[in-house]
Amino acid sequence: MNSDFILSVESLTKDYFSPTGYKIRLFEDLNFSIEQNEFTTVFAPEGSGKSSLAKILAGIEKEFEGTVKDNAGRGLLLIPDKPDSYQWLTVFENVRFFAKDLSDNEIKKIIADAGLEGYENHLPHPKSAGFRFRISLARALALNPTAILIDDSLKNIKDDETRREILELLRKLNFVYDKITFVFLTANLTDAVFLGDKILLLGKRPARMIAEIKNDLPQERSAEILRSPDFERKTNECKNKIFEYDKNIILKTTV
């Protein structure tokens, strides 16, 4: 095991009970590690327990089988699949609420890094998923955790241009904040391939590990790469692994 791991997952299994008392297995026997400064993406189809896995990795969900070894000295933060913010506070006040020890200039820089420069005094718009995600991202950056876990937050952003902007932003932040490791869980294979240095492929419920893919795309990535032969090659590599495991898995992709 690499000594630089942040999280190590061994034989992880999770069940939950439906309202009628029926036992449902979400995933079983997962084994993987999250390495420091390596952007890790986890692809899994809808309904295979991504949110439960994210909560387990973040230390929120405690009921599971197996072990999760936490080596994250500064803690882990989870941005849920529906990012939220205090609608009665401005962008600046939202970040300040969670980072009272930072100076005003430090908060303004983080807000700018999250793509909200010039919006410091704006109130969050309840229907703007992209705006609210950026606020959640700024708040997480301000707390300077060891890792930020993102639970498929882009699925609620319907505007393609905004989604591409945020994909580019996350790759950029991976370099700017080099002491924070990013983990992104998604049902969208395009997002997983674009963002990840390492791509973990999971099957449908009960999800098992299909493969771990090292991503050889350039470290600096813009949305233009989404239509490139190299991106298509890497996406097809992942698709082939998935369909070798289960040809009935429904893939979600966007460009």
Side-chain angles (χ1 to χ4, degrees):
M1 175 62 65
N2 190 327
S3 61
D4 291 331
F5 79 91
I6 291 172
L7 288 169
S8 174
V9 172
E10 298 177 2
S11 303
L12 183 62
T13 298
K14 172 65 179 176
D15 298 321
Y16 86 96
F17 291 88
S18 70
T20 58
Y22 184 70
K23 182 179 178 180
I24 299 172
R25 175 149 293 184
L26 292 177
F27 45 80
E28 60 185 3
D29 197 30
L30 299 184
N31 297 275
F32 61 87
S33 63
I34 306 295
E35 311 295 337
Q36 186 174 352
N37 300 127
E38 182 177 56
F39 202 133
T40 299
T41 54
V42 181
F43 166 83
E46 293 284 358
S48 55
K50 287 185 305 301
S51 293
S52 293
L53 177 58
K55 291 174 183 176
I56 290 171
L57 296 179
I60 298 170
E61 173 62 61
K62 303 294 186 181
E63 295 185 7
F64 56 86
E65 298 176 21
T67 59
V68 177
K69 297 178 182 178
D70 183 345
N71 197 32
R74 301 193 313 278
L76 303 159
L77 283 178
L78 172 63
I79 299 178
D81 60 346
K82 293 181 180 178
D84 206 354
S85 54
Y86 297 131
Q87 296 181 27
W88 58 91
L89 298 179
T90 66
V91 171
F92 183 91
E93 291 167 340
N94 262 282
V95 180
R96 163 64 73 204
F97 187 87
F98 289 90
K100 294 180 169 53
D101 294 336
L102 296 183
S103 69
D104 287 357
N105 285 337
E106 287 172 322
I107 290 178
K108 288 178 181 178
K109 180 184 182 304
I110 290 170
I111 289 172
D113 289 341
L116 291 174
E117 186 174 13
Y119 292 91
E120 294 85 353
N121 296 319
H122 284 238
L123 294 172
H125 194 292
K127 294 185 178 180
S128 177
F131 196 90
R132 286 185 287 115
F133 174 75
R134 290 174 188 268
I135 294 174
S136 294
L137 186 58
R139 294 192 309 197
L141 293 171
L143 291 171
N144 192 33
T146 296
I148 296 175
L149 312 176
I150 304 172
D151 179 17
D152 214 0
S153 301
L154 302 192
K155 70 181 181 181
N156 299 308
I157 300 174
K158 306 306 180 185
D159 179 71
D160 290 341
E161 183 177 354
T162 300
R163 289 187 76 264
R164 289 192 291 267
E165 288 175 356
I166 291 178
L167 287 172
E168 290 181 332
L169 174 65
L170 289 171
R171 280 300 303 182
K172 178 181 177 182
L173 292 175
N174 185 50
F175 296 102
V176 174
Y177 290 82
D178 58 358
K179 290 183 168 49
I180 298 178
T181 298
F182 290 85
V183 182
F184 191 91
L185 300 92
T186 181
N188 188 308
L189 187 59
T190 301
D191 294 351
V193 174
F194 181 87
L195 291 173
D197 297 319
K198 177 170 71 178
I199 308 163
L200 305 178
L201 302 176
L202 274 60
K204 61 186 180 182
R205 191 176 71 207
R208 285 180 166 269
M209 184 69 67
I210 297 174
E212 177 180 310
I213 306 290
K214 288 292 185 181
N215 200 341
D216 57 359
L217 292 174
Q219 286 293 304
E220 295 186 12
R221 299 170 200 169
S222 71
E224 294 175 358
I225 202 173
L226 293 170
R227 300 185 183 278
S228 71
D230 284 341
F231 190 85
E232 182 179 12
R233 170 185 54 79
K234 183 55 64 175
T235 301
N236 286 337
E237 179 184 346
C238 293
K239 286 181 178 179
N240 290 338
K241 292 286 186 183
I242 292 168
F243 290 139
E244 285 173 7
Y245 177 82
D246 185 347
K247 64 181 181 180
N248 294 316
I249 290 178
I250 298 174
L251 292 181
K252 182 190 298 183
T253 58
T254 55
V255 177

